Amino acid sequence: MKLRTDALQATRILAQRAALLAGRAAGDLGARLLTDHADPHALYEEVRARGPLVRTRLGLYLTASHTVADRLLRHPAMGMTARPGMAPPDPHGPVDPLAESFGVLDGPEHRRLRRPAALGFRPADLAARAPRIAALASELLDAVPEDRPFDLATDFAAPLPLLVISDLLGLEPDIPAFRRWSKAEVAVVAGPRTPGDARRWRRTVQEAEGLFRATYHDRRARPRDDLLGRMANADPPLTEREFVATAEMVFFAGYDTTPWLIGNTVLAVLDHPDRDAALAEDGLVEEVLRYDPPVQYTARTALERIDLDTEQGAVTVPEGATVLLLLAAAGRDPAVFPDPGRFDPARPNARDHLAFAPGPHHCVGAGLATLEATVAVRTLFDRFPGLHATGRPSQMPLPGLRAPASVPVAA
């Protein structure tokens, strides 16, 4: 049975990949966006020039409009989409958070499972964590060399969020294992390109399930005031499987994109002509989220026909249609952000970005990610005020992500 499932999944992935590459060769805008990992803003502007909602030849809908994206993200008839190329969840198989957690469900089930996950992200709780985040950042910086270059992405931006989310959840941080898990998850979320991506993800969820099942029983027997302890003893209670799926989603969502947000913020500060002024602005990270967000787009499916009246004209999304909401393009919509291609940490409306996808599926860890990046970057430049680049940064070759893989710097 496992070999048959693997074969079917491999067929789906390869067929989808072939269709996207054929669409790209034919010039389809959606296929180009889904396969191009270079700076995509020229493509976003092509979408914007064609109107508030564009249907591609492959049947995908695209919007670069801030107004349309914002209204669709908040619309109750817009739901989550299944991961392309992946098999449906097996209730008797390993728990897959990308198929059965609150992050991919809609309606009452989404709200029921999201509620205990949100217990660790209340504003007062997050504010109280700022000193702990600063301490963890300082410990990492103690280990980086001051007499030679180091890689900001791998030595600082990547491990810090793992330490923070482990601390929040109440886990012992296993940095090598957790980073391996994250790489497998990112490859699948970005759209599995090979059957190997799917196999690595299956191994990852099996390993993660073992950890979180053991944690569930531990917290049930010996309650602790960490997020996993609160979730294991939530009222109404979660089943063991629901706990595992929710804990895995919180873990991955609480880690994956934050290293890239830290990296993008550091790069923006290094490029800014007045570094001290940029660092002093409370809206620095919000402007990075507008100007260069880690997640460039997200997808939703219309659960019923949606009709919108906008200043740009009437917009209709047919029932069953999948819409790619270009969050990064919305952040540079000139109708909302004057001079949108200019990075301005003092921009008064930077917080109007859509980087965390407002609406029912608004990122549960948005506040933590923003706090982490703010504390991390200020701690970094307080320690190394003369920090400077020593080479060109590189990006992960994954469509839809602005994810620094390497940022060579020196103190």
Side-chain angles (χ1 to χ4, degrees), residues 138-150:
S138 293
E139 290 174 12
L140 286 172
L141 293 175
D142 287 342
V144 303
E146 297 188 38
D147 57 346
R148 64 181 187 278
F150 63 96

Side-chain angles (χ1 to χ4, degrees), residues 6-21:
D6 285 352
L8 290 173
Q9 191 158 292
T11 300
R12 279 193 293 265
I13 291 170
L14 294 174
Q16 184 205 37
R17 186 71 179 165
L20 285 175
L21 292 175

Side-chain angles (χ1 to χ4, degrees), residues 20 67 83 96 116 167 187 197 221 263 272 276 326 371 390 411:
L20 285 175
T67 297
R83 288 169 297 126
D96 186 343
D167 192 59
D197 290 337
H272 198 271
D276 290 340
L326 306 178
L371 175 66
T390 60

Side-chain angles (χ1 to χ4, degrees), residues 12 29 51-52 78 111 157-158 203 209 225 227 257-258 263 295-296 308 331 335 341-342 372 387 390 403:
R12 279 193 293 265
L29 262 178
M78 289 298 284
R111 293 189 292 272
R203 289 195 297 268
E209 181 174 346
D225 190 26
L227 180 52
T257 61
T258 309
V295 178
Q296 296 273 294
L308 300 178
R342 180 172 64 91
E372 276 186 71
L387 192 79
T390 60

Side-chain angles (χ1 to χ4, degrees), residues 180-182 184-185 199-209 248 252:
R180 175 166 48 80
W181 293 0
S182 175
E185 191 257 355
R199 287 194 297 271
R200 282 185 286 274
W201 175 239
R202 187 169 57 249
R203 289 195 297 268
T204 291
V205 296
Q206 289 171 336
E207 292 179 30
E209 181 174 346
E248 290 177 348
F252 287 113

Side-chain angles (χ1 to χ4, degrees), residues 252-323:
F252 287 113
Y255 170 69
D256 278 341
T257 61
T258 309
W260 312 332
L261 177 57
I262 293 171
N264 289 343
T265 304
V266 171
L267 289 171
V269 171
L270 291 177
D271 285 343
H272 198 271
D274 191 339
R275 177 184 299 185
D276 290 340
L279 289 167
E281 289 292 344
D282 290 339
L284 169 63
V285 173
E286 302 286 359
E287 174 68 352
V288 173
L289 288 163
R290 178 202 71 84
Y291 179 79
D292 196 20
V295 178
Q296 296 273 294
Y297 49 71
T298 189
R300 298 288 189 273
T301 296
L303 307 179
E304 60 186 53
R305 176 187 165 113
I306 298 173
D307 294 295
L308 300 178
D309 289 323
T310 75
E311 293 179 355
Q312 298 164 284
V315 167
T316 297
V317 183
E319 180 179 356
T322 295
V323 183

